[in-house]
Amino acid sequence: MSKIQTMSPELKPRNPILILEDVKENQDLLKGICKKMGIPCEIAENGEVGLQLLEKNTFSIYIVDLIMPVMDGRIFIQNLKKKHPESVVLVQTALDTADTIIDIMKLDVFDYIVKPIDLEVFQKAIHKSLEYKYLKDMERNLNLNAGAKIRNQIEWLNYKEDRRVSEKDDTDIKSIYNLKTSITQGTGFGSLLTLIDLVKGSKVDAGDVYKIDKQIIDLLINNYDICNAQLEGLHSISKLLEIKCSLNQIDATELVAAIPNMVVDVISFLSLKDLRVTYPELKTNCKINVDMEKLSLIIEELFINAYKYAVHKSAINIFSQIKEGYFWLSFMNEVYEEPYGGVPPEYEKLVLEPFFRLLPPDETIGMVEKYGLGLGLSVVDNIIRKHNGMFMIHDVKDHTHDSIKSSVLAEILLPVIP
């Protein structure tokens, strides 16, 4: 018999599953499996009882047997969808013919489970449906206040443009200060200077011989390589910012489908933090103007940024939606509240400034990161504005778990072509 897998904390629902099943033995079986998976559940012996429970409680997903007395599963699902159109439903059926399955899917259900229940198949169906429910809830949360976010960002861009010329000297001074701070943090130039100080103090008897530990030499070489990578990054950034984007019209679904290939170089690092990644699904489509080569670079940068500050054993979630005349692509990662937290409101604009660093660098990904020294988000902001779009990064509270999680949300907005 297959081993029962408990749910990961990220997907464990806040609300119980509602199981509609009239046979006592099947009730006990499904209830026992859910208990061992760590998922709360409630039982209704028919559709009428299920609708009564709906009046009193909120449920995460629904497992519905089609054949029940008093009110069968079909009528229950029809009533459920009238009240809660976004409900995620799994149907139990003893028949797996093509006609039956087509008929079931017409009920707007997420998936079906064939009786008798296979433990492994049942667990996979529960995991898939709860992950889908989680992503739908998060998408709904992202929809809230979308218009206010856009208005706020437009006001900021106008304000920034008004001050750009009048405060050029002040901006240059801030950039120099930010660069000085950035190069003295973490691996690269900062560590290289520290290591050279160690070497300077390792002369033997004030003579011509230095006694240097192999570990220091290895660190010197490693940081030399990272410094070279950072200098190459600066060179590529200067070229990138000078070049105009060559925009071409594509379907938004084409961009969404390409995302896994855009971040493939970073995927191997996820195991270092035991991170999962969920990719977006775009149910509707629209036309957008993009430079796929440039956009690929900044999508990778946002994925790296999410990786660097994500909580161990959490997830990087990527969402897509069409809202307020824009195609939205959002990267969300859970963050530690201590000692640094995420991106407080007073820093939302500062983190887009060149060389500004709110948090210490993550040293595990230095050789992959193309835009170090606190320039990554500045590059993202620049490229998105060349697409006539907007870029925002801010803190959010994730309410889709048992406990509220602090997260950072980085969002690209690209105008939809009418």
Side-chain angles (χ1 to χ4, degrees):
M1 185 175 181
S2 301
K3 183 180 178 182
I4 293 180
Q5 303 287 334
T6 57
M7 291 298 299
S8 63
E10 294 81 14
L11 296 181
K12 188 175 180 181
R14 297 179 65 193
N15 301 309
I17 291 174
L18 180 58
I19 299 173
L20 280 78
E21 171 62 63
D22 63 312
V23 179
K24 183 65 169 60
E25 292 79 5
N26 289 341
Q27 291 177 0
D28 293 340
L29 172 64
L30 297 179
K31 194 172 183 178
I33 295 173
C34 288
K35 183 177 180 181
K36 289 183 179 179
M37 291 178 72
I39 305 170
C41 68
E42 292 191 28
I43 302 291
E45 59 267 29
N46 58 59
E48 188 174 285
V49 174
L51 291 178
Q52 292 171 2
L53 289 174
L54 275 180
E55 298 297 328
K56 304 174 185 177
N57 303 304
T58 301
F59 298 95
S60 55
I61 62 173
Y62 303 83
I63 301 174
V64 182
D65 187 13
L66 288 184
I67 310 299
M68 293 182 293
V70 184
M71 180 188 291
D72 66 19
R74 294 176 188 274
I75 297 176
F76 169 80
I77 292 171
Q78 289 167 0
N79 281 277
L80 171 67
K81 290 290 183 176
K82 287 178 184 177
K83 293 184 177 182
H84 306 290
E86 297 294 319
S87 299
V88 179
V89 181
L90 289 169
V91 165
Q92 296 184 80
T93 176
L95 302 174
D96 60 351
T97 62
D99 289 343
T100 303
I101 301 308
I102 291 171
D103 192 35
I104 288 171
M105 299 315 288
K106 286 179 180 178
L107 297 172
D108 190 23
V109 303
F110 176 71
D111 206 350
Y112 64 93
I113 306 169
V114 178
K115 291 183 173 182
I117 298 296
D118 178 278
L119 178 59
E120 186 174 347
V121 172
F122 180 77
Q123 286 187 93
K124 286 181 178 178
I126 294 292
H127 276 273
K128 281 171 56 182
S129 58
L130 286 175
E131 183 173 36
Y132 178 76
K133 166 71 173 171
Y134 168 75
L135 294 175
K136 293 298 291 182
D137 287 347
M138 185 55 59
E139 182 181 285
R140 192 177 302 110
N141 290 341
L142 296 181
N143 276 332
L144 298 176
N145 303 317
K149 286 182 187 178
I150 292 173
R151 286 192 296 274
N152 179 62
Q153 189 67 7
I154 290 173
E155 288 172 3
W156 161 250
L157 291 173
N158 290 335
Y159 171 76
K160 185 176 179 180
E161 182 61 24
D162 288 342
R163 297 189 64 177
R164 183 178 62 84
V165 177
S166 62
E167 296 192 356
K168 184 178 185 303
D169 290 342
D170 183 50
T171 301
D172 290 343
I173 291 169
K174 285 181 180 177
S175 294
I176 292 169
Y177 174 79
N178 290 339
L179 176 59
K180 177 185 173 184
T181 303
S182 185
I183 65 176
T184 56
Q185 291 182 341
T187 54
F189 294 101
S191 293
L192 200 59
L193 293 173
T194 301
L195 290 167
I196 291 172
D197 278 340
L198 288 173
V199 171
K200 285 167 66 177
S202 63
K203 268 191 178 183
V204 178
D205 298 328
D208 297 327
V209 177
Y210 288 86
K211 186 177 181 181
I212 305 171
D213 188 274
K214 179 183 179 297
Q215 188 176 11
I216 293 178
I217 296 296
D218 291 340
L219 287 170
L220 276 169
I221 293 171
N222 181 59
N223 279 273
Y224 168 79
D225 291 338
I226 291 173
C227 287
N228 271 335
Q230 289 175 339
L231 290 172
E232 288 175 9
L234 283 172
H235 178 65
S236 66
I237 288 170
S238 64
K239 289 175 60 179
L240 184 63
L241 299 185
E242 290 172 0
I243 298 173
K244 290 184 177 180
C245 287
S246 177
L247 303 181
N248 296 293
Q249 186 178 126
I250 66 165
D251 289 338
T253 51
E254 184 180 339
L255 172 59
V256 169
I259 290 174
N261 287 331
M262 293 177 177
V263 300
V264 68
D265 289 342
V266 192
I267 294 300
S268 60
F269 288 85
L270 297 183
S271 60
L272 297 177
K273 291 188 172 183
D274 198 9
L275 297 176
R276 297 182 300 106
V277 57
T278 58
Y279 294 106
E281 288 185 20
L282 193 61
K283 299 297 184 182
T284 56
N285 199 9
C286 65
K287 299 287 185 181
I288 52 177
N289 277 325
V290 301
D291 183 324
M292 283 291 276
E293 181 182 0
K294 308 293 191 305
L295 210 56
S296 176
L297 293 172
I298 65 171
I299 285 174
E300 182 188 57
E301 174 60 29
L302 290 179
F303 194 85
I304 288 173
N305 194 68
Y307 163 85
K308 288 193 297 185
Y309 305 113
V311 170
H312 282 65
K313 296 186 177 180
S314 64
I316 297 173
N317 295 306
I318 310 175
F319 307 96
S320 62
Q321 59 179 322
I322 300 166
K323 187 78 173 177
E324 303 286 339
Y326 288 89
F327 166 73
W328 297 59
L329 190 61
S330 307
F331 295 73
M332 191 180 80
N333 60 284
E334 183 187 340
V335 294
Y336 293 102
E337 298 212 24
E338 298 294 340
Y340 303 110
V343 183
E346 62 269 27
Y347 288 104
E348 288 177 8
K349 311 306 179 186
L350 281 174
V351 294
L352 306 185
E353 295 296 328
F355 308 115
F356 183 86
R357 236 185 206 145
L358 181 60
L359 303 175
D362 184 307
E363 301 177 354
T364 62
I365 204 165
M367 293 305 295
V368 175
E369 191 173 12
K370 294 181 176 67
Y371 312 121
L373 300 173
L375 283 168
L377 298 184
S378 302
V379 173
V380 173
D381 186 46
N382 182 280
I383 297 301
I384 289 301
R385 281 190 281 113
K386 287 180 178 178
H387 282 74
N388 303 309
M390 291 180 281
F391 172 59
M392 300 177 283
I393 184 165
H394 51 95
D395 282 350
V396 292
K397 296 295 183 183
D398 182 357
H399 294 266
T400 58
H401 304 283
D402 287 335
S403 59
I404 298 173
K405 307 286 188 182
S406 294
S407 302
V408 166
L409 189 67
E411 299 180 292
I412 293 172
L413 282 69
L414 299 172
V416 170
I417 299 173

